[in-house]
Amino acid sequence: MQHIRGIETEQSRRDACWNAARGLGDCAAYMANEAQRMGALGFAYLGRPEHSVRGPSWLRGATASVEAHYRYAREIMGITDGDQLYA
């Protein structure tokens, strides 16, 4: 079978990172990365122009979901709100 180089996808790289986890610390680091990644994707999703016509209740729910991803990542990494610096 012939192997083609450089065809890794984002999903396959994440799978490789997860499969390389050897301890609970590695698992926590992976989960923190995933939570931050999902939070960043959610934040970009909120900024899409088609969502400007949605109501305030939808925006509150979507924003709470994004905040929950970041809160979960900070909890895993042991970072408190006092440790965060906001620009």
Side-chain angles (χ1 to χ4, degrees), residues 31-32 34-35 67-78:
M31 292 304 291
E34 284 299 295
E67 289 172 356
H69 283 294
Y70 283 121
R71 190 177 319 109
Y72 181 60
R74 288 196 318 261
E75 179 183 320
I76 291 171
M77 293 184 290

Side-chain angles (χ1 to χ4, degrees), residues 34-44 65-66 69-70:
E34 284 299 295
Q36 286 183 326
R37 185 183 68 81
M38 289 305 295
L41 289 175
F43 187 70
S65 175
V66 170
H69 283 294
Y70 283 121

